[in-house]
Amino acid sequence: MSSTTGTVERAFEAALYTDTHDALDTGASILAADPAADPELARRGREFVAAAWRRGWQPADVVRLVRRDLDDVHVRLVSALIREQAPDDRARGPRWTAQVEELAAAEPPARTDRFTQATTVLELYRLLLRLPAVEPLDEPKRHESRRPVSRMLTRIRALLAKAEATGFPEEAEALSAKAQELMARHSIDEALLDAQAPAKDAPGACRIGVEAPYEQAKAVLLDAVAGANHCRAVWNDAFGFSTVVGFEGDLEVVELLYTSLLVQATTAMTRAEAAQRAGGRRRTKTFRQSFLAAYAHRIGTRLAEAAGTQVTDDLLPVLATREVAVTDRVDEMFPETTTTRLRGVSDEAGWTEGAEAADRAQVRARPPLD
């Protein structure tokens, strides 16, 4: 064993397998006293990252968890480690690649004294070392013939961005309506391509962050959006994300629509809360929780109604086949799930305002697509 490897091993033995501050200080002191151990320390960090991938984690999942449990300096450090490990990683799908590329904009960790730096590294490695195994997400390969269909997503993104930016509820509703129409057409086109393809795609899965505060209401909203777009969502409260299972084209529109509706909900909630506080009310937390719960509930109802208008009798067998495949995939990935009740919904004004905001943001019913 080389001296640098011995330094790292002694620091890890002192600090990584206990939660005490004294142990952390001991490990940091060992590392700070031996600058020659820095390359070995960085190499071990890349190994921790690779081990996280083997346990089913993805770059965005790890960064999200580090941001929740540690500090910004740890986020910068883990982002740098992920980027450094990427060239040694096996080939991944486009969703994974996009997550890594997004980290390219992250600022590198600021230079500081050696003891502080070593403490930061050990705190991060503690978290990475203790990541449990989660369900692996394998991205399905898509047929080359589908590329023209994906162009529609560019139009959908543009419409939703306008809906989020406008200050006029009527305009936001019209833009959201058009976006949902395109989403429905996109989903049906994907289903028909599946039926015609010689080798059908299998359902895939992605993780979408569902973070505090008011994470229960956000999880309900995501579940509603997923269900309306032929997907299923399973919420993991402990790690702050939901796993959405579905066919790739549907997964893309779920991500888009959920993000847009959450932005619109937050904007509407802020305005409604300001009006309530101007009238002398101060129950901010209960108002927000009730607002988002009502918003999610009402969005779910209206999305289900809108989705039903898009399905004609000749499409039912195709969509039913896809729904069975999605259900089987969920059962395979999550053989044991539990249900939870939405708590903290006690503010009548918040519920009323949230339902009204959902009505403004929600799409109108439309005639079935040809």
Side-chain angles (χ1 to χ4, degrees):
M1 179 184 296
S2 67
S3 60
T4 57
T5 301
T7 297
V8 172
E9 288 293 344
R10 286 187 292 113
F12 283 5
E13 184 177 354
L16 295 191
Y17 308 103
T18 180
D19 291 324
T20 67
H21 290 293
D22 289 344
L24 192 66
D25 289 347
T26 299
S29 297
I30 293 172
L31 293 174
D34 188 0
D38 289 355
E40 174 65 13
L41 184 63
R43 186 188 70 80
R44 298 293 292 272
R46 295 191 293 272
E47 287 185 350
F48 281 130
V49 168
W53 305 162
R54 292 192 295 272
R55 293 198 290 271
W57 292 80
Q58 295 200 347
D61 305 328
V62 172
V63 172
R64 187 185 308 114
L65 193 64
V66 171
R67 182 179 291 111
R68 186 190 72 177
D69 292 351
L70 297 173
D71 298 317
D72 183 64
V73 64
H74 302 89
V75 173
R76 295 183 183 184
L77 179 58
V78 76
S79 298
L81 284 175
I82 292 171
R83 294 196 305 269
E84 292 166 6
Q85 189 273 338
D88 299 326
D89 199 11
R90 66 176 175 85
R92 306 281 186 172
R95 196 182 301 275
W96 183 292
T97 301
Q99 293 177 27
V100 175
E101 290 176 349
E102 188 174 343
L103 298 178
E107 297 181 9
R111 298 182 64 86
T112 183
D113 64 272
R114 290 191 55 78
F115 180 81
T116 301
Q117 174 66 16
T119 301
T120 300
V121 170
L122 291 174
E123 288 171 334
L124 174 63
Y125 288 6
R126 271 183 177 179
L127 185 149
L128 295 177
L129 177 66
R130 300 174 188 185
L131 289 177
V134 295
E135 300 77 16
L137 306 182
D138 294 324
E139 295 186 45
K141 294 182 179 179
R142 307 187 69 201
H143 299 301
E144 292 297 320
S145 61
R146 298 201 172 179
R147 288 183 180 177
V149 178
S150 65
R151 296 175 184 172
M152 193 178 295
L153 293 176
T154 301
R155 297 176 61 194
I156 293 171
R157 289 189 181 97
L159 288 167
L160 292 177
K162 291 180 180 179
E164 296 163 16
T166 182
F168 301 98
E170 295 80 7
E171 184 181 9
E173 179 184 353
L175 292 166
S176 297
K178 182 61 178 176
Q180 181 58 36
E181 180 181 337
L182 293 180
M183 287 177 181
R185 188 183 300 276
H186 176 79
S187 180
I188 289 171
D189 287 345
E190 289 276 320
L192 292 176
L193 280 173
D194 253 349
Q196 298 163 5
K200 297 180 180 179
D201 287 345
C206 68
R207 295 194 186 104
I208 298 177
V210 182
E211 303 178 52
Y214 319 115
E215 58 272 25
Q216 277 194 323
K218 295 175 183 176
V220 171
L221 176 62
L222 178 53
D223 183 73
V225 174
N229 288 279
H230 317 296
C231 297
R232 295 273 301 277
V234 179
W235 180 37
N236 188 320
D237 182 20
F239 295 127
F241 60 72
S242 282
T243 302
V244 183
V245 181
F247 287 84
E248 183 61 27
D250 295 332
L251 293 176
E252 290 176 283
V253 298
V254 167
E255 287 184 284
L256 286 171
L257 185 56
Y258 170 70
T259 302
S260 177
L261 288 173
L262 191 58
V263 169
Q264 293 183 59
T266 302
T267 301
M269 180 179 65
T270 301
R271 292 173 180 168
E273 181 187 39
Q276 290 287 320
R277 295 177 69 178
R281 297 199 56 191
R282 296 183 180 179
R283 295 172 61 191
T284 300
K285 184 175 182 179
T286 55
F287 178 86
R288 290 185 173 187
Q289 175 74 5
S290 300
F291 182 103
L292 289 176
Y295 185 93
H297 175 76
R298 186 61 175 163
I299 284 289
T301 301
R302 300 296 298 277
L303 275 177
E305 294 172 353
T309 67
Q310 305 302 313
V311 180
T312 56
D313 291 342
D314 58 326
L315 283 171
L316 285 174
V318 176
L319 296 178
T321 299
R322 289 164 66 92
E323 183 174 346
V324 169
V326 169
T327 301
D328 289 345
R329 179 64 173 146
V330 171
D331 292 341
E332 177 186 345
M333 292 180 65
F334 304 98
E336 296 183 8
T337 59
T338 60
T339 57
T340 185
R341 297 182 62 183
L342 189 59
R343 300 182 298 272
V345 182
S346 58
D347 192 298
E348 182 178 357
W351 181 272
T352 301
E353 293 276 6
E356 292 176 353
D359 284 336
R360 293 192 298 269
Q362 182 48 43
V363 298
R364 297 185 297 267
R366 296 171 302 281
L369 297 174
D370 294 333

